Amino acid sequence: MNALSLFLLVGKVSRAFIGKSGMAQQKRTGRLVVFIIFLFMGIGATAFATGVVDLSFFSTRPVWRAQLSDMVSLRGAVKLDDLRLSRSEIRKINHATMVNRTVFDRVHLTLNMADRYAPVLVDKNTKLTVGLKLDAGDGCEVKSWDKDIARKNLVPYMVRYMKRAARELVHYRKHPEVKNGVARLYI
């Protein structure tokens, strides 16, 4: 049932009640009110069921997008669609980038299969070769050594690495003799 047919149905029902008088009109008007209430409840249930409106719609907390932040770029043989990141994982990555946005401008993630000859089919136990490079914006970057980790450990590794890298870079920048002398920091 589309919106036009619903509109026409409500119009026919309301026209049926016009012109009636007395007790019959009050009884039918009451039925019309009940019908309209159930109609709106059905529309609301449909909106929740289809995902047009969800529980976060009524929340005052900020809701992270269901896509990766623009600060994160992905390179390598494994593409973003191959990872099949869940909404929770995307939120964790976006939260980590937003918390550390004062320290890092960009996060470059390089993902390859640990077995170079394997087809790119990623499940939770697939071994990935991960490399992270975090740009600090002033010509400084923090890089990780390439590491083989399982897909299920990718997001916790990224979040943990970003937190540690931000802490280390802030520590080095506190020292005046090192402040502008660090071009690349490996952790």
Side-chain angles (χ1 to χ4, degrees):
M1 177 177 271
N2 60 20
L4 180 62
S5 60
L6 184 64
F7 179 74
L8 292 175
L9 177 67
V10 171
K12 286 180 183 178
V13 170
S14 63
R15 268 188 259 124
F17 294 114
I18 295 174
K20 304 288 183 184
S21 62
M23 191 64 133
Q25 183 178 1
Q26 289 178 350
K27 185 184 263 187
R28 290 186 186 229
T29 304
R31 288 182 187 163
L32 178 64
V33 169
V34 170
F35 173 75
I36 290 174
I37 289 172
F38 278 113
L39 178 71
F40 281 118
M41 288 174 53
I43 291 171
T46 304
F48 273 107
T50 58
V52 173
V53 176
D54 59 0
L55 293 178
S56 64
F57 182 77
F58 301 106
S59 175
T60 57
R61 293 183 303 161
V63 178
W64 301 108
R65 298 183 308 184
Q67 65 185 22
L68 275 179
S69 169
D70 295 337
M71 292 175 58
V72 180
S73 67
L74 186 66
R75 301 181 209 170
V78 180
K79 302 299 177 210
L80 186 62
D81 293 336
D82 298 331
L83 292 175
R84 294 186 303 247
L85 294 172
S86 67
R87 290 180 77 121
S88 173
E89 291 173 325
I90 291 172
R91 283 189 194 119
K92 288 176 186 177
I93 294 170
N94 287 347
H95 180 71
T97 57
M98 295 309 288
V99 166
N100 298 311
R101 73 181 177 272
T102 58
V103 181
F104 301 115
D105 295 338
R106 299 279 301 164
V107 176
H108 302 283
L109 176 65
T110 304
L111 285 174
N112 291 307
M113 300 293 286
D115 180 8
R116 294 185 316 189
Y117 302 108
V120 181
L121 296 172
V122 180
D123 64 354
K124 66 180 181 175
N125 294 319
T126 303
K127 291 286 185 186
L128 300 170
T129 302
V130 179
L132 274 166
K133 182 176 94 170
L134 308 169
D135 290 336
D138 55 356
C140 180
E141 62 185 28
V142 180
K143 287 186 79 168
S144 70
W145 301 104
D146 287 348
K147 184 175 182 178
D148 290 341
I149 60 173
R151 158 62 184 90
K152 64 184 174 187
N153 299 327
L154 174 66
V155 175
Y157 170 75
M158 287 178 64
V159 170
R160 195 172 49 247
Y161 183 81
M162 282 190 258
K163 184 177 179 180
R164 182 176 176 206
R167 189 175 59 235
E168 292 290 328
L169 190 59
V170 167
H171 172 75
Y172 277 107
R173 285 184 173 167
K174 285 182 181 177
H175 300 292
E177 65 275 0
V178 182
K179 186 174 184 178
N180 293 326
V182 177
R184 182 172 293 147
L185 181 64
Y186 281 96
I187 297 178

